[in-house]
Amino acid sequence: ETGVTQTPRHLVMGMTNKKSLKCEQHLGHNAMYWYKQSAKKPLELMFVYSLEERVENNSVPSRFSPECPNSSHLFLHLHTLQPEDSALYLCASSQDLRGYTFGSGTRLTVV
Amino acid sequence: EDQVTQSPEALRLQEGESSSLNCSYTVSGLRGLFWYRQDPGKGPEFLFTLYSAGEEKEKERLKATLTKKESFLHITAPKPEDSATYLCAVQADWGSQGNLIFGKGTKLSVKP
């Protein structure tokens, strides 16, 4: 399998649930990212991992918790989310300046 | 503050009717400007990277150009399959891995 793979594609969760989003890249890239895409808004950077070390956390609420166990895998752990957290969550990877490769995203609905 | 503004927000074209999308940016030090295409329910698909003013890149019916303040994505004789949202992003911060700052996108519809 090639590219960036995200699972699940769709997720519905209650505000008291705990769930995790998974991202896997097969490109040999050295950086991975989580972005949030909401309607009528630009993509918002959430977290950056470079060489498995978190290098940026864009003031994201603590109910979102990232994990990068190795250079190919990235997780986003979710707990006690709010309805306004419903969005498309995109994972991306990159190597130097060759542009990001995005996954297809996880459509999250918080009820 | 680094910022990216895309216009128009939406664009409707007839098949074969050429046009351009605009991306204006303000960034402290441009490392690269990126164009992506996004289809509904999918992640953005990389199209082009431009690094310096005067640079141009082409791919099929698309041509991207860059000046010191803006970039244009020219679409020549578009087809219905070109319908998508086109996203522009800039990368700054030479000193770090650098994140992309995105515009809101231009939603293009091409009617047969």
Side-chain angles (χ1 to χ4, degrees):
Chain A
E1 205 172 334
T2 59
V4 178
T5 304
Q6 288 188 245
T7 54
R9 289 298 311 276
H10 302 274
L11 178 62
V12 179
M13 59 185 289
M15 290 189 283
T16 58
N17 290 162
K18 289 185 180 181
K19 296 285 183 184
S20 295
L21 310 185
K22 179 183 176 182
C23 176
E24 185 174 359
Q25 60 103 354
H26 306 271
L27 300 166
H29 288 168
N30 61 3
M32 297 186 77
Y33 310 79
W34 281 115
Y35 274 86
K36 176 183 179 182
Q37 188 173 33
S38 305
K40 305 289 185 183
K41 286 187 175 182
L43 271 77
E44 301 170 61
L45 178 67
M46 300 177 73
F47 301 104
V48 180
Y49 276 84
S50 179
L51 298 173
E52 301 160 38
E53 182 181 336
R54 189 194 304 182
V55 295
E56 188 154 344
N57 175 352
N58 250 17
S59 303
V60 178
S62 59
R63 56 186 184 270
F64 295 91
S65 174
E67 179 189 0
C68 186
N70 55 61
S71 60
S72 299
H73 293 85
L74 185 65
F75 295 89
L76 187 63
H77 304 298
L78 317 170
H79 65 96
T80 58
L81 294 191
Q82 305 298 310
E84 60 264 28
D85 296 322
S86 298
L88 181 68
Y89 288 85
L90 291 161
C91 173
S93 68
S94 75
Q95 182 76 30
D96 301 324
L97 295 176
R98 280 174 251 167
Y100 288 12
T101 301
F102 282 89
S104 295
T106 295
R107 172 66 65 184
L108 173 67
T109 304
V110 181
V111 297
Chain B
E1 183 186 343
D2 299 337
Q3 195 168 310
V4 177
T5 304
Q6 290 188 248
S7 62
E9 200 172 302
L11 181 62
R12 289 189 167 191
L13 299 174
Q14 287 296 124
E15 184 172 1
E17 179 187 2
S18 302
S19 188
S20 297
L21 313 183
N22 178 264
C23 171
S24 299
Y25 64 90
T26 306
V27 66
S28 54
L30 182 68
R31 195 177 183 190
L33 185 140
F34 300 79
W35 282 99
Y36 286 86
R37 168 193 171 128
Q38 187 173 24
D39 293 300
K42 294 190 175 181
E45 176 189 342
F46 172 75
L47 293 174
F48 304 109
T49 308
L50 301 167
Y51 297 104
S52 57
E55 190 175 357
E56 299 182 352
K57 288 198 177 168
E58 286 188 68
K59 180 181 178 180
E60 296 179 359
R61 295 177 292 281
L62 300 176
K63 178 178 169 181
T65 61
L66 180 65
T67 72
K68 288 186 177 180
K69 293 183 178 180
E70 58 191 350
S71 176
F72 290 93
L73 185 66
H74 307 280
I75 303 177
T76 302
K79 298 182 177 182
E81 54 261 42
D82 295 322
S83 298
T85 295
Y86 290 85
L87 301 173
C88 172
V90 296
Q91 188 173 40
D93 294 336
W94 280 94
S96 70
Q97 185 69 28
N99 58 279
L100 295 187
I101 301 163
F102 282 84
K104 292 183 180 181
T106 293
K107 186 174 181 180
L108 174 66
S109 300
V110 182
K111 302 297 181 185

